[in-house]
Amino acid sequence: MHRKHSWLWIVALSLLLTSCAHDPDAGKLRVTVIDVGQGDSILIETPTGHAMLIDGGGSNRDDEGDPRHVGLRTVVPYLRYRGIDHLDAIVLTHPHADHVGGLPDILREVHTDTVLDGTTLPFPSPAYAAFLTEVRNRHIPYRRVVRGTHLDFGDGVTADALNPPTGLPYGTATDNATMNNYSAVFLLSYGKTHMLLDGDAQLEAEENMLAAYPNLQADALKCGHHGAANATSDAWLDRVRPRYAAISCGLHNPFHHPNPATLARLKAHGVQAYVTATDGAVIFVSDGARVTATGAVKRSE
């Protein structure tokens, strides 16, 4: 999880991706699954320059101090490299520390118009409390995400929340599995293309969404729960039929993500999979007609 060379990696990535001043992705939809170690952070950049961040990375334990500052060490430098000093929105998929831990620093450093929170159940954690405190202190407009939440960026890009549903179909326990299943899941659409961003949604949430959305399909998929065995089922892949998939996880993480069974399912379904732990940041780009995918950099720690 520790990233003492994160800033050096960001600089190297910048040099690798910008050997010339022209941005080849200008005027397109660009989605970057940022390498934040064992966590999630996804930057969405629309064709006319709108930007939204989903999650901010962070520690996967509330009692870890420095690792949650991945927001300041990794995400903020990446935003600056991309020329972003203003976010239309920050979305928190759910309140686990590896998704929310970096957000307070990001909120302090980057002007944000609105915050959307996928948290369904009360969740008493220091990382989540710090996030809510920062939102209140900065008087940022705040609202919950539920199925049906619709965002329109005004340039052909829309984002629709498919999860969490109204009600409490996954129960009221605050264990990890339940909280994961209540993750906000967004379908990002541009022209004829779609990208599905799964948060930490597990099998129960996938089944619920399959029942609610019989025509669900996406060109690219950010796999749920860091590539764990309890997400990205055969049924999910049969319906979604992605060409590309990204898995966000840390190198040598203690959970052994991604699970070999998940990688095997992706391969069996003909999906080209990228893993941030080995491929660096994963970048999906859409021109409205097709999606391309690249891993930003091969690296070792």
Side-chain angles (χ1 to χ4, degrees), residues 95-123:
H96 283 159
D98 56 329
H99 295 249
V100 71
L103 288 180
D105 280 333
I106 296 167
L107 287 166
R108 283 188 283 268
E109 294 291 327
V110 183
H111 177 79
T112 303
D113 286 347
T114 190
V115 165
L116 297 95
D117 186 356
T119 304
T120 297
L121 300 172
F123 191 73

Side-chain angles (χ1 to χ4, degrees), residues 147-186:
R147 177 174 292 167
T149 297
H150 175 76
L151 305 176
D152 189 333
F153 294 94
D155 52 11
V157 176
T158 59
D160 291 281
L162 311 186
N163 198 66
T166 55
L168 298 170
Y170 312 126
T172 57
T174 56
D175 57 85
N176 285 341
T178 302
M179 300 306 294
N180 286 344
N181 278 314
Y182 282 117
S183 288
V185 173
F186 275 92

Side-chain angles (χ1 to χ4, degrees), residues 218-231:
D219 304 274
L221 171 70
K222 201 292 295 184
C223 293
H225 198 198
H226 315 288
N230 58 9

Side-chain angles (χ1 to χ4, degrees), residues 39-116:
D40 266 21
S41 187
I42 302 171
L43 174 63
I44 297 166
E45 299 172 78
T46 79
T48 58
H50 294 283
M52 180 169 79
L53 187 72
I54 300 180
D55 292 330
S59 168
N60 52 49
R61 289 177 49 185
D62 277 325
D63 59 348
E64 290 181 356
D66 183 67
R68 73 182 58 179
H69 295 301
V70 67
L72 191 60
R73 297 194 329 266
T74 302
V75 180
V76 170
Y78 187 77
L79 294 175
R80 288 174 176 161
Y81 151 63
R82 292 298 300 166
I84 296 169
D85 57 10
H86 165 263
L87 290 165
D88 292 75
I90 284 179
V91 177
L92 173 63
T93 59
H94 66 297
H96 283 159
D98 56 329
H99 295 249
V100 71
L103 288 180
D105 280 333
I106 296 167
L107 287 166
R108 283 188 283 268
E109 294 291 327
V110 183
H111 177 79
T112 303
D113 286 347
T114 190
V115 165
L116 297 95

Side-chain angles (χ1 to χ4, degrees), residues 22-30 45-49 155 190 285-288:
H22 174 66
D23 182 356
D25 300 331
K28 300 176 183 178
L29 171 63
R30 176 185 167 112
E45 299 172 78
T46 79
T48 58
D155 52 11
Y190 178 51
V285 177
S286 170
D287 61 5

